[in-house]
Amino acid sequence: MKKREGIPASTGIAIGQVKRVQSHLDEYLCYTIENREDEKLRFLRALDVALEELNALIASMRASSDEGQTQLAAIFDAHREMLQDPLFIDGVKGKIEAEAINAEAAIVNQREELAAIFEAMDNDYMRQRAADIRDICQRLLTHLTEKKLDKPAAEDDSYILVTHDLHPSDTVTLNPAHILGFITEIGGKNSHTAIMARTKGIPAVVGIVQLLDDVSDGDWIILDGESGTVILEPDESTLTHYRQLAEQFAQKKAAQNQVRFAPSRTKDGHQIELAANIGMTEEATTAMAYGADGIGLFRSEFLYMHQATLPSEEEQFIAYRNVVQTMKGRPVIIRTLDIGGDKSVASMDLPHEENPFLGYRAIRICLDRSDLFLTQLRAILRASAFGKIRIMYPMISSLYEVQEAKKWLAIAKDSLRKEGIAFDPSIEQGIMIEIPSAAVIADIIAPEVDFFSIGTNDLIQYTMAADRMNEKVTAYYNPYHPAIVRLIAQVIQAAHQHGKWVGVCGEMASDPHFASLFIGMGIDELSMSPPAILTIRANMQQQTLADLQKFAQQVSALTTSEAIYDSLQAAFH
Ligand code: PEP
Ligand code: MG
C-alpha cells in the first residue's frame, strides 16, 4: 500500500482499477520546410478543420438535453475564440515564416510561449488558462499528425483513469458510467478539466507528479477527491474504511442534489434569491451547476486584469453575452469596473498611492475616465439584449456619484439607439453599499436606484478602519460588530421603505449563521461563491421566516461583538 497526495479537484470517492492513458502528441517531428507558403496553408487548413470540429461539438452540447453539457459549451466557446485570435494565428505563421519550420513545430513553440505567459500570472485562475492553450494546440496537432490520444474503449468496464494531463476536449467525452474517477500528473483546481469533472460529478485528483511510473493497468486504487489523497494497492481495512466514506458521500450528495434545483425557500414558503459571485465568464457554468438563481455579482474587473491592453467593447460584449446566455434567463448583475485597492490593471498604469483602498478606485476612476466607462456601459447594454442583465456601480459614497453614473448610462443608451443597436431600455441599475457614508444615506439614495447590494467585505474594512488585506489587524476586521449589524439593518429598511430590493454579495452572505440572520432581517437576495449555495439553501429549508425574524430582532438589540457571536453560534450550533 502506498499513499500519494495531490490537489483535490472534484469531490467524491472512487475505488477501482487503474487504466493508464498516454498521449503521443508531443512526439512530433521538427523539420525544415522548403515552401513557407505551403506550410502556412497546411496550418490554416488544420485550423479550419479544428474550428469546424469545435462548432459541431458546441452545437451538439447546446442541443443536448443534459443540462451539464449545455453549460460546459461555454468552455469550448472560449477555445474557439482562442483559435481565432490573430495573436495566435499570426504567431504560428510568423514562426513558420521566420524559422522555416513545419507547422507542428511552430504550433508547439507558440503554445509554449503563450502557456508560459499564463503560467507566470499571479492569479490561479489565469494560470490554469495555459491548459486551454495546450488543448487547442492538441486539437490542431491531432489534425496535422493524425495521431490521437489513446482513448479508453467505451465498452471497457468502469475504471479510474490515470494520465499525465487531461484536456477539456478529452474530459468532455468522459462517460461517468465507465470512468469512476481520474487522476492527472499535472493541472490545478481551476483548470477547465477540473471544472468539467465537478460539473459531471466525476471524482478527480490532479497534480500527482510521476504517478504513471507507480501504477500499471489493473492495479487497485482509491481516489479521494475531497482530500486529494490517492492510495495505491490498498489493504483490506483501508478498502473497508473508504467504502464507508464513499457510502456517506453518496448520501450527502443525494441530499444536496435534492436542494440543487429546489426553490430557495424557507420551511414556511418565504422565497429569496440565492445567487453566485463570479469573476470569469466560464464560472457561470459552475454557478448553474450549483443551482444558482442568478449571478449576484460579476466582478468585471477580471476582464481588465492580466492583459496588456484594455478589453475592447466587442471583447466585453462577448464575455457578458456568454454569461447571460449560460444563465438561461436568470438575472445577471454586472458590476462595473472595480479596480484600485488590491486590484491593479497593468494596461492602465495607475499611480502608486499611499492608501490605495482610500484612493483612486472603482467608480472614481470610471467617472474620471469616461472613455473607459462608456465602452463598458455600451458593452453591458448590448449584452442586455440577450438576457436579464442588471448594472451595479461599486464604491458609491454619495448621491452625486449615482446621478453621474446614471447620466453616463443614458449617454451610452443614446449612442446605441442612434446606431440602431438593440439593448434592454429598462435595464435595472443598482449600487454596492460598501462605504459607510452610502449606508448611512441609503434612504436618500434609494429613490435613485432599482436595488442595493451590500458589499460587506469593504463595508467592514471601512467601518472598522481595518485593512482587509492586513493580517495584523484581522481581529479588528470584525463582522460581528454591532455597527455592522446595525448598518445592514438600516440599509435593508431604507431600501424597503422605497420599494427597492436589497441583497448582500460580500463574504458574510455565504456564512450560514449570517445568512440566516440576514433572511430574518428581510434581505431579498444573497450572493456567494457557487458551492456555498447548496448549504445555504438546505439550511433555509429547515427554518421558518417567523423564527428568523424573531432571532434578528434579538440580535439587533445586542451591544457587543461577543454577544452577537455567541448568539449566532448558540442559535445554529
Ligand atoms: C465587497 O466589498 O463586499 C465586495 C463584494 O466586493 P469586492 O470583494 O470585490 O471588493
Ligand atoms: Mg468591494
Side-chain angles (χ1 to χ4, degrees):
M1 190 167 95
K2 197 168 168 186
K3 233 184 201 183
R4 299 286 307 270
E5 298 293 337
I7 302 166
S10 176
T11 56
I13 299 212
I15 303 170
Q17 287 176 289
V18 168
K19 176 98 187 173
R20 295 163 95 249
V21 175
Q22 274 176 312
S23 162
H24 310 293
L25 290 168
D26 266 2
E27 295 165 17
Y28 66 95
L29 281 177
C30 175
Y31 52 87
T32 312
I33 43 112
E34 301 274 306
N35 188 325
R36 292 170 164 86
E37 292 314 309
D38 280 358
E39 196 60 19
K40 282 186 223 164
L41 269 178
R42 219 181 126 239
F43 160 61
L44 291 176
R45 269 198 296 270
L47 192 71
D48 278 347
V49 181
L51 279 170
E52 263 173 40
E53 193 179 61
L54 268 177
N55 285 337
L57 175 66
I58 294 165
S60 77
M61 288 175 88
R62 288 242 149 86
S64 165
S65 55
D66 174 354
E67 179 100 348
Q69 289 278 318
T70 53
Q71 292 159 17
L72 291 173
I75 291 175
F76 294 101
D77 276 335
H79 283 196
R80 186 166 52 184
E81 276 164 41
M82 282 180 179
L83 264 181
Q84 289 169 307
D85 188 339
L87 206 77
F88 174 71
I89 299 173
D90 294 345
V92 175
K93 287 194 333 200
K95 287 188 169 61
I96 297 173
E97 182 65 36
E99 298 166 41
I101 48 173
N102 55 324
E104 291 89 332
I107 289 168
V108 170
N109 291 352
Q110 181 69 10
R111 177 189 77 186
E112 291 313 303
E113 260 176 39
L114 291 175
I117 295 174
F118 279 105
E119 274 157 2
M121 290 178 175
D122 57 6
N123 173 302
D124 180 55
Y125 190 90
M126 295 308 287
R127 270 198 301 278
Q128 299 303 327
R129 302 291 64 79
D132 293 301
I133 297 283
R134 296 213 154 86
D135 192 352
I136 63 159
C137 290
Q138 168 176 293
R139 195 173 281 284
L140 286 169
L141 290 171
T142 308
H143 294 302
L144 285 165
T145 61
E146 307 273 321
K147 282 186 196 159
K148 303 233 188 285
L149 186 78
D150 262 0
K151 282 232 165 71
E155 65 274 15
D156 270 0
D157 281 343
S158 357
Y159 44 80
I160 293 178
L161 197 73
V162 180
T163 180
H164 176 64
D165 188 14
L166 204 55
H167 294 293
S169 305
D170 302 317
T171 318
V172 76
T173 62
L174 295 182
N175 182 351
H178 293 291
I179 310 278
L180 299 168
F182 69 79
I183 311 166
T184 61
E185 294 188 315
I186 63 169
K189 211 181 180 118
N190 285 321
S191 66
H192 277 142
T193 288
I195 292 172
M196 282 185 177
R198 291 196 283 274
T199 309
K200 284 169 155 263
I202 300 177
V205 172
V206 298
I208 301 196
V209 286
Q210 292 184 337
L211 182 65
L212 282 165
D213 294 347
D214 285 354
V215 295
S216 312
D217 278 350
D219 284 356
W220 279 90
I221 197 167
I222 296 173
L223 174 172
D224 182 348
E226 192 96 36
S227 66
T229 305
V230 165
I231 300 169
L232 316 177
E233 298 294 348
D235 57 29
E236 216 30 64
S237 70
T238 311
L239 271 172
T240 310
H241 171 67
Y242 273 94
R243 283 198 183 111
Q244 278 166 359
L245 284 184
E247 179 60 27
Q248 283 165 11
F249 180 82
Q251 282 170 5
K252 191 172 125 195
K253 203 165 164 199
Q256 286 198 335
N257 269 335
Q258 282 192 336
V259 298
R260 189 169 298 234
F261 300 112
S264 309
R265 265 205 299 252
T266 56
K267 211 159 141 187
D268 51 348
H270 175 68
Q271 186 143 355
I272 69 160
E273 205 173 280
L274 289 185
N277 292 352
I278 63 168
M280 298 285 167
T281 51
E282 299 92 338
E283 285 175 288
T285 305
T286 315
M288 287 292 279
Y290 283 103
D293 297 325
I295 299 293
L297 170 63
F298 177 16
R299 292 183 161 101
S300 69
E301 52 275 12
F302 283 98
L303 293 173
Y304 292 70
M305 292 158 81
H306 313 295
Q307 59 178 48
T309 51
L310 289 169
S312 64
E313 179 183 313
E314 190 63 19
E315 221 176 299
Q316 293 189 55
F317 159 64
I318 291 169
Y320 305 147
R321 190 187 55 188
N322 265 342
V323 171
V324 81
Q325 284 181 332
T326 305
M327 293 311 292
K328 297 212 166 82
R330 295 167 183 80
V332 173
I333 299 183
I334 300 177
R335 176 173 78 182
T336 58
L337 185 59
D338 181 8
I339 46 164
D342 58 328
K343 300 177 207 134
S344 63
V345 169
S347 54
M348 285 190 62
D349 199 18
L350 293 170
H352 171 78
E353 295 177 302
E354 287 301 323
N355 285 306
F357 274 114
L358 302 181
Y360 191 54
R361 256 194 89 172
I363 197 74
R364 301 172 182 186
I365 298 179
C366 288
L367 294 181
D368 191 38
R369 290 278 310 268
S370 51
D371 53 328
L372 209 88
F373 198 31
L374 266 182
T375 304
Q376 183 170 36
L377 293 175
R378 279 176 54 101
I380 298 174
L381 283 170
R382 282 172 59 193
S384 71
F386 295 85
K388 179 140 195 62
I389 288 187
R390 298 167 171 152
I391 298 188
M392 178 155 74
Y393 307 112
M395 292 292 293
I396 293 291
S397 65
S398 69
L399 181 64
Y400 172 77
E401 290 151 355
V402 182
Q403 289 166 336
E404 283 301 292
K406 286 174 69 182
K407 267 189 217 160
W408 284 111
L409 188 74
I411 292 171
K413 282 183 178 177
D414 264 358
S415 68
L416 289 175
R417 227 174 256 125
K418 283 197 190 103
E419 292 165 36
I421 299 175
F423 62 90
D424 172 8
S426 48
I427 189 166
E428 285 183 29
Q429 296 178 75
I431 62 161
M432 298 268 309
I433 299 273
E434 51 187 344
I435 299 185
S437 61
V440 171
I441 59 161
D443 60 321
I444 300 174
I445 299 178
E448 289 284 340
V449 297
D450 297 301
F451 66 92
F452 289 147
S453 184
I454 306 174
T456 51
N457 306 340
D458 276 317
L459 187 65
I460 299 169
Q461 113 164 318
Y462 295 128
T463 306
M464 303 303 302
D467 184 341
R468 62 196 257 196
M469 313 290 288
N470 185 341
E471 284 164 29
K472 280 221 159 66
V473 295
T474 306
Y476 294 91
Y477 186 90
N478 179 4
Y480 297 96
H481 196 286
I484 304 297
V485 173
R486 210 177 256 193
L487 280 177
I488 294 173
Q490 278 175 17
V491 172
I492 296 174
Q493 203 186 13
H496 288 175
Q497 262 168 9
H498 291 273
K500 306 299 161 76
W501 67 265
V502 54
V504 173
C505 64
E507 287 304 303
M508 280 174 91
S510 58
D511 176 296
H513 298 173
F514 279 124
S516 300
L517 176 66
F518 296 155
I519 297 169
M521 286 170 149
I523 208 77
D524 303 292
E525 178 235 36
L526 293 170
S527 191
M528 60 200 76
S529 70
I533 292 173
L534 298 181
T535 315
I536 303 294
R537 186 175 289 143
N539 270 359
M540 278 184 78
Q541 294 183 343
Q542 309 299 320
Q543 300 163 331
T544 66
L545 180 65
D547 284 346
L548 294 178
Q549 282 172 332
K550 223 182 287 158
F551 176 67
Q553 264 169 12
Q554 287 160 12
V555 171
S556 45
L558 300 174
T559 53
T560 64
S561 310
E562 291 73 19
I564 293 176
Y565 176 84
D566 288 346
S567 87
L568 282 171
Q569 301 303 314
F572 308 110
H573 48 269

